[in-house]
Amino acid sequence: MAPQRELHGLNWLFFFAADLQTGFGPFVAVYLTSHSWTQAELGLALGVASASAILAQVPAGMLVDALRSKAVAAAAALVAVGASAMLMAWSPALWPVLLAQSLQGLASCMLNPSLTALTLGLVSAAAVAERLGRNARFAAIGSAVGAVLMGVCGTFVSTQAVFWLAALMCVPALIALRSLAKRTQVPAPAMVAGPVREAVRDVLLDRRLLAYIACTMLFALANAAMLPLAAAEITKRVDEKASLIIAACILVPQFLVALLSPLAGRAAGQWGRRGVLLVGFCALPARAALLAVVTDPMWIIPIQALDGLGGAVFGVITPLVAADISGRAGRFNLRLGILGLAIGVAATVSNIVAGVIASNLGAQTAFIALGLVGVSAVLMVGLAMPETRPRVAADSGFGSLYPHPSEKAG
Amino acid sequence: MQIPTLALALSASVTFVVAAAAQQPSPPPLVLPAPAPDVPAGNPAPAPIVVPAEQVAPVELIGLLGYAVVDARGTELGRIVDLLADAQGRVRAVVVDIGGFMGLGNRKVAVAWSALRFAAGDKGPVMSIVIPPDRLKSWADYIAGRPVAILGAPDSGQ
């Protein structure tokens, strides 16, 4: 286990990196609308942002894999996200915003994989599952704090100030990253530093990865449109407190992710990935069914708590499965990139299709459709997803990775 | 309820004089110098074209796109994201983006131009919608390309 101080560094790194990225996303539309953007221009900017965040996934993953120092990759990505936030704040005109949005899309594709790869190089293989849980915890706290800070900033200062604030978060993130750079060697890190030795073809033909891609796509297809759809329903039904209820619908799941992620990581380490994945995925159809039935907006908040359960499991298991399959010198970031691409495409389709269903057949039908996709996601995990937790790895040459509970001495 | 379908979206940023000229006299129109005649010497020069123009203080005018609208009590309802005009040149409705938190849950509704009230404010005109906010929040979405339901129009039951 790495010294405590370094792990604190990782906590802060994930906290500030998530904080930094909260300023983007849906808030961009609010900001540009307040700067006299037409609907056509706004659609173009948001389209460029999501396209770059999806298309850059695989190239960014390969780039991070090729770089010897994941810390340099992470630092470059942090600076790029900070710079695009500053560009957004400085000049809300078409071309600077398009540049900032595509830069941010590319950088965020590099940031999260490189931070996770950095983690794998810092902790022993046995501690990976729980450490990924802690990463997810601090990322969730970071985005919750970021959402509150930026919501307050946008309401009481200006929509522009939100982006200056986001850019400012880059500084503590870089300081936290620097504290990790002077790292002491872990005897058997989950991933060795340096370039990878694995053919791309082997990555793509791996049945375990293909099965998990199918699971994540179904998850994202069912999950992505649920909160926006619920939020739209809340604004239709509630008059004055709509913003507060929507804020709670964003924050409550984040606090649950913060609470549950380390537990999910520990459980995945002890009992395997599949069981944890099944529990987390079951939250998805349950949430969709409840959203389809419940009409009182106040009850949407506790239902959204289920989003926290699903989010915690998904956020921990995704990098864990990629790490399991990649081994010590595999193409970990390429795998995360492929998964990111799959999630991005599925999430986009989810929002479009659910939007069409909701406007033609009503929100209730859309929730039922999302719920059915959620059921198929659970079935996919149950039927197609193999357990990826490494067995006692005699053949890997560096001792047992994750000892089975029955073989654990005390 | 009859839904006007003639509305067409103006995509450019349109500026209107909203602090009506009746409140204070507007500066006298400036006579623009006529464009230099582009005719060979010898021919009689065409009469100079007089284009009326005026100068208005920035607090008297606003760009409507992105401008905040408030309810009768002065609470911000949302921002104007588009204007809908018909073939007769009348602005029939404004599209207002309402509700939500940090971009989630926002909806667009079309509100009749005649349902807006204007008053002078410190930082420019204050635009308020006289329709009760609960009617506004429960009104049908504005979706480009679909028949537009304008709230507050004479034929919408208001």
Side-chain angles (χ1 to χ4, degrees):
Chain A
M1 186 71 86
Q4 261 321 267
R5 194 176 56 81
E6 284 184 2
L7 298 181
H8 283 311
L10 266 183
N11 294 348
W12 286 114
L13 186 53
F14 274 85
F15 175 87
F16 283 113
D19 222 9
L20 174 62
Q21 289 174 292
T22 317
F24 291 89
F27 188 71
V28 171
V30 179
Y31 170 61
L32 295 178
T33 296
S34 70
H35 281 85
S36 301
W37 276 53
T38 64
Q39 296 299 290
E41 289 172 324
L42 187 60
L44 179 66
L46 297 181
V48 164
S50 51
S52 72
I54 291 172
L55 297 177
Q57 288 279 358
V58 171
M62 296 185 86
L63 180 64
V64 176
D65 269 339
L67 290 172
R68 174 166 290 275
S69 169
K70 312 305 178 202
V72 169
L78 281 172
V79 170
V81 175
S84 52
M86 274 197 275
L87 190 58
M88 291 285 296
W90 179 58
S91 173
L94 185 62
W95 286 106
V97 167
L98 291 186
L99 178 67
Q101 291 290 298
S102 35
L103 182 64
Q104 196 270 333
L106 174 69
S108 64
C109 289
M110 271 182 77
L111 184 55
N112 296 326
S114 62
L115 290 183
T116 311
L118 200 66
T119 306
L120 298 183
L122 280 176
V123 296
S124 67
V128 164
E130 196 170 346
R131 181 60 238 179
L132 289 178
R134 297 206 150 263
N135 286 355
R137 160 178 285 181
F138 284 92
I141 298 174
S143 39
V145 170
V148 171
L149 273 181
M150 286 163 191
V152 168
C153 191
T155 311
F156 296 105
V157 188
S158 74
T159 46
Q160 196 161 29
V162 171
F163 289 92
W164 289 119
L165 183 67
L168 202 65
M169 296 296 174
C170 192
V171 177
L174 284 170
I175 293 171
L177 182 63
R178 212 183 121 85
S179 80
L180 290 174
K182 295 170 259 162
R183 62 182 186 218
T184 45
Q185 210 57 54
V186 182
M191 194 164 142
V192 288
V196 292
R197 311 180 292 271
E198 192 186 16
V200 175
R201 199 171 165 275
D202 295 342
V203 175
L204 296 176
L205 293 179
D206 191 329
R207 204 189 78 86
R208 294 169 299 174
L209 184 68
L210 295 177
Y212 195 62
I213 288 173
C215 296
T216 55
M217 287 191 88
L218 286 172
F219 182 91
L221 202 57
N223 185 53
M226 235 184 266
L227 175 60
L229 213 56
E233 283 305 294
I234 292 167
T235 25
K236 275 181 203 165
R237 289 178 202 154
V238 197
D239 173 14
E240 280 164 3
K241 295 192 180 69
S243 329
L244 279 178
I245 296 177
I246 293 170
C249 285
I250 298 170
L251 295 179
V252 165
Q254 293 292 354
F255 284 116
L256 262 146
V257 170
L259 200 67
L260 296 176
S261 288
L263 291 175
R266 204 174 305 152
Q270 276 182 5
W271 299 308
R273 286 57 164 145
R274 269 192 80 222
V276 177
L277 211 50
L278 269 175
V279 172
F281 272 42
C282 280
L284 206 52
R287 185 166 140 235
L290 287 169
L291 285 174
V293 173
V294 167
T295 50
D296 184 357
M298 290 307 283
W299 280 102
I300 295 181
I301 301 172
I303 296 171
Q304 268 298 109
L306 285 170
D307 187 18
L309 176 61
V313 167
F314 193 67
V316 174
I317 299 293
T318 299
L320 194 53
V321 166
D324 286 345
I325 304 175
S326 301
R328 269 165 54 91
R331 294 184 178 269
F332 170 72
N333 293 286
L334 173 61
R335 287 190 171 91
L336 271 191
I338 293 170
L339 287 169
L341 173 69
I343 294 166
V345 169
T348 308
V349 172
S350 171
N351 277 308
I352 294 169
V353 173
V356 169
I357 296 177
S359 63
N360 289 307
L361 303 168
Q364 197 174 27
T365 317
F367 282 128
I368 293 170
L370 292 176
L372 290 176
V373 178
V375 170
S376 65
V378 174
L379 289 177
M380 183 63 82
V381 175
L383 300 175
M385 187 63 203
E387 178 57 60
T388 60
R389 184 172 60 140
R391 292 174 203 294
V392 178
D395 56 331
S396 67
F398 56 95
S400 71
L401 267 176
Y402 310 116
H404 196 266
S406 60
E407 290 156 351
K408 218 175 196 174
Chain B
M1 184 181 72
Q2 188 197 343
I3 295 164
T5 52
L6 261 176
L8 81 108
L10 289 183
S11 59
S13 176
V14 184
T15 307
F16 280 88
V17 183
V18 290
Q23 288 177 0
Q24 50 193 112
S26 52
L30 310 170
V31 177
L32 290 186
D38 191 22
V39 284
N43 288 2
I49 302 160
V50 180
V51 180
E54 62 173 341
Q55 207 164 25
V56 182
V59 291
E60 291 179 36
L61 285 179
I62 43 163
L64 285 180
L65 278 192
Y67 201 75
V69 288
V70 298
D71 65 12
R73 287 178 297 170
T75 316
E76 186 178 321
L77 282 170
R79 287 174 186 275
I80 295 177
V81 295
D82 220 335
L83 298 170
L84 307 177
D86 62 19
Q88 280 77 47
R90 291 174 301 176
V91 175
R92 296 275 290 273
V94 290
V95 179
V96 184
D97 189 88
I98 54 169
F101 173 77
M102 284 189 83
L104 262 178
N106 292 41
R107 291 191 325 116
K108 297 186 186 75
V109 291
V111 177
W113 181 253
S114 58
L116 293 176
R117 296 289 175 273
F118 302 94
D122 296 340
K123 293 175 189 165
V126 176
M127 296 175 66
S128 51
I129 295 179
V130 293
I131 299 164
D134 57 325
R135 286 297 311 275
L136 199 61
K137 297 271 164 95
S138 59
W139 192 245
D141 285 15
Y142 165 77
I143 300 165
R146 296 269 187 90
V148 185
I150 300 177
L151 183 62
D155 57 356
S156 74
Q158 277 292 303

